[in-house]
Amino acid sequence: MIRWTRCRPGAGVGISMRIGALAVTLAFMLALAPGCTNPPPPGGATTPSAAPLGSVTGSYVRPPAHSRVIVFVNGIFGDGTGTWTNGTTGKYWPSLLAADPDFADVDVYVHSFVSPHLSNAQQILELAGRMKDLLETDGVIRSHTELVFLCHSMGGLVTRAFLLNARLPASKTPMIYFFATPTAGANVAGIVAHLSANPQLVDMKPLDDGGYVKNLREQWLLTSNEPALDYPNKIASYCAYELKDTWAFRVVPEVSATYLCNHETRGVLGDHLEIVKPADERADQYRFFKAAYERQFSPEAAPIRNALAMRTLSPLTVSRREMALGRFKTATVVLKQVKATTRSIEVGCDAEQKGRLEAKVDLAPGETVSEVKADIANATNLKSSSAAVVRASSGTATVSYTLRGRDRVLTNCPGGGRADVVVNFVVTKEPRTVRPGIDVPVRRVSPARPTRELVIQTPARSARVRLARTPEPPNR
């Protein structure tokens, strides 16, 4: 037997039924419906309600006053309120962030779109166009020099489609944090599609089935050919994935949630709904975002940005190269460049070569990868080329590349093209803690010589004189 989650009036009703494919699917759909929360805890305690959002389309949590803004984007079957509200504590993530002194110099905006579970809805591409219009009319794009996105589920796909549609330069969007975004497709989309007329589910079919997510991924990777965009390399993409099933399904598996992420990934001990509902500011998902934000924008992050700017100082002719680049807080920053190719990739005239490679960096104790970027090196006779990090984790990066040979003019062609793929790992090395007696021998120091204190009396003053060593009187 299973029980439906408790929803606000109009979102669902409480019933019980036997577990089966139909029941699980409907349960999943209603669980994601706007306004639904977790089941009430034992004892009949009620679930606190969230403060209502000012608009179903989007609004600022506080009046805008800064050059950078964090934009929340909900996912499928969600909205700008229920998606981010914890069902037990009633805490609303955008409000938590706005009240955090560490985010006092940034604006907070919540974008919301309608995603019904039992009726037609706008497709992802249509939602992206709508998002562009709303962010423009609300002054979000015009009034801020930097936009940081915090996305849940399908909201991450909408955000990528919005950027591709708006053609915003990568410098305008320096960071996106994706929570359970099905970049390679969702597990249950095909199952739920049998019972829902919502076309957004069809858009999220797995990559192997083709469909919109595959097309979106290809468009995202193609921007690496445009220096002003180059989204796969220039936008810091952080990802988190769910560690629990929603009912009987892992809605977005790790491999899909971490696809196209070029920074570290984190697992959240929650299901597809809980992953964006922090109980308070000490919850894992809140801290994961905050830590990533600080690594991206704190003044101490400058050496990491400099490291990537220095990556093309000279061609990489050996398989590995390291450069020391200063310090990040207390850690030393090192740029480790690794060839992903054992030999150069070749491409003929009027031809195209596409593929994937893996590169791994050797990490010593105390070393952590802070940033990963892919590059094309030692290129010859190419019309165009691109490389982008598809996935990065624990010192290993998967890179997608495309090489295009030069055009053949009549029968002439300057010869076959070739290039190498290089992966740049920015590594921070924490200072080593020296353990006396283990890392270094303990140096024994002999005790200081005893001293005596004599009091010298004079008519004008008295003084205490410290003598180095006073011989003991002889024994009588």
Side-chain angles (χ1 to χ4, degrees):
M1 301 286 287
I2 59 173
R3 294 188 180 275
W4 302 110
T5 53
R6 174 170 295 183
C7 307
R8 65 172 178 259
V13 295
I15 61 173
S16 298
M17 61 187 303
R18 295 185 180 278
I19 293 180
L22 179 63
V24 172
T25 303
L26 284 172
F28 167 75
M29 291 162 54
L30 287 180
L32 295 181
C36 293
T37 62
N38 296 328
T46 58
T47 301
S49 60
L53 189 67
S55 169
V56 296
T57 59
S59 69
Y60 284 97
V61 176
R62 60 189 178 201
H66 304 93
S67 61
R68 184 183 301 136
V69 60
I70 297 174
V71 180
F72 285 77
V73 186
N74 65 272
I76 194 167
F77 303 142
D79 62 21
T81 302
T83 294
W84 313 105
T85 303
N86 184 280
T88 302
T89 65
K91 297 292 185 180
Y92 183 54
W93 193 346
S95 296
L96 283 174
L97 197 136
D100 190 331
D102 292 330
F103 291 98
D105 60 348
V106 63
D107 295 331
V108 179
Y109 180 90
V110 180
H111 175 73
S112 181
F113 59 84
V114 177
S115 181
H117 55 282
L118 290 175
S119 63
N120 280 310
Q122 292 169 302
Q123 292 179 287
I124 291 176
L125 191 58
E126 295 170 326
L127 289 173
R130 175 181 177 275
M131 182 177 182
K132 180 176 180 289
D133 293 341
L134 294 182
L135 294 187
E136 284 180 345
T137 55
D138 281 351
V140 177
I141 300 175
R142 179 181 64 255
S143 304
H144 300 90
T145 57
E146 292 182 328
L147 281 66
V148 174
F149 289 93
L150 197 164
C151 310
H152 176 234
S153 188
M154 192 187 73
L157 303 180
V158 175
T159 299
R160 282 200 179 102
F162 152 73
L163 290 173
L164 290 167
N165 183 16
R167 309 296 287 176
L168 294 184
S171 58
K172 185 81 171 181
T173 308
M175 173 183 169
I176 306 175
Y177 208 120
F178 299 94
F179 283 86
T181 291
T183 304
N187 268 346
V188 299
I191 300 174
V192 182
H194 291 296
L195 296 171
S196 175
N198 191 332
Q200 297 162 359
L201 297 167
V202 179
D203 282 347
M204 293 192 294
K205 291 192 300 184
L207 282 178
D208 294 341
D209 297 335
Y212 184 74
V213 290
K214 185 175 184 179
N215 180 52
L216 183 64
R217 179 204 63 170
E218 293 300 322
Q219 291 185 50
W220 187 263
L221 290 173
L222 280 175
T223 63
S224 58
N225 290 323
E226 303 179 54
L229 303 183
D230 196 7
Y231 295 154
N233 295 310
K234 290 187 176 179
I235 295 180
S237 299
Y238 296 83
C239 292
Y241 53 93
E242 61 219 53
L243 292 174
K244 291 183 178 181
D245 293 344
T246 305
W247 301 100
F249 298 100
R250 185 65 49 91
V251 179
V252 181
E254 179 184 352
V255 67
S256 182
T258 59
Y259 201 72
L260 293 183
C261 291
N262 54 23
H263 283 63
E264 70 267 17
T265 61
R266 296 286 185 264
V268 176
L269 194 60
D271 61 25
H272 192 70
L273 308 178
E274 298 164 342
I275 195 171
V276 288
K277 300 178 187 293
D280 53 38
E281 62 276 3
R282 297 186 62 81
D284 279 356
Q285 54 268 70
Y286 187 95
R287 290 188 167 199
F288 291 161
F289 172 77
K290 184 173 181 177
Y293 183 90
E294 290 179 348
R295 281 194 291 275
Q296 191 66 29
F297 298 108
S298 66
E300 295 84 359
I304 293 179
R305 292 191 293 269
N306 295 338
L308 292 177
M310 296 174 65
R311 68 187 183 276
T312 55
L313 285 178
S314 60
L316 184 61
T317 56
V318 295
S319 60
R320 297 172 185 269
R321 177 170 62 188
E322 293 188 14
M323 291 186 290
L325 298 163
R327 298 183 69 79
F328 173 79
K329 295 184 178 179
T330 61
T332 300
V333 180
V334 179
L335 176 63
K336 296 189 177 186
Q337 296 180 314
V338 180
K339 268 189 180 182
T341 46
T342 55
R343 63 178 184 175
S344 296
I345 303 168
E346 298 183 353
V347 58
C349 299
D350 290 332
E352 180 180 85
Q353 281 282 6
K354 300 175 69 173
R356 288 191 187 179
L357 296 168
E358 284 199 357
K360 185 173 179 61
V361 66
D362 295 326
L363 297 175
E367 291 185 340
T368 304
V369 175
S370 300
E371 184 110 16
V372 184
K373 187 182 186 304
D375 273 317
I376 298 293
N378 310 326
T380 304
N381 290 334
L382 295 180
K383 179 181 178 181
S384 64
S385 61
S386 63
V389 175
V390 174
R391 186 177 296 107
S393 179
S394 303
T396 301
T398 302
V399 177
S400 173
Y401 69 86
T402 302
L403 305 181
R404 295 178 180 87
R406 289 188 177 181
D407 294 333
R408 187 185 300 276
V409 180
L410 297 178
T411 58
N412 297 323
C413 183
R418 62 178 60 211
D420 292 311
V421 177
V422 176
V423 182
N424 304 275
F425 294 90
V426 181
V427 176
T428 55
K429 183 186 302 184
E430 295 292 340
R432 186 183 179 193
T433 302
V434 178
R435 299 164 297 176
I438 300 176
D439 297 315
V440 295
V442 176
R443 182 181 175 186
R444 298 190 177 279
V445 181
S446 56
R449 293 178 299 173
T451 61
R452 283 193 176 184
E453 211 174 55
L454 301 180
V455 179
I456 303 175
Q457 297 284 349
T458 67
R461 62 185 178 180
S462 65
R464 295 181 182 273
V465 179
R466 200 168 178 80
L467 304 179
R469 182 179 175 89
T470 305
E472 298 290 338
N475 293 329
R476 296 186 181 274

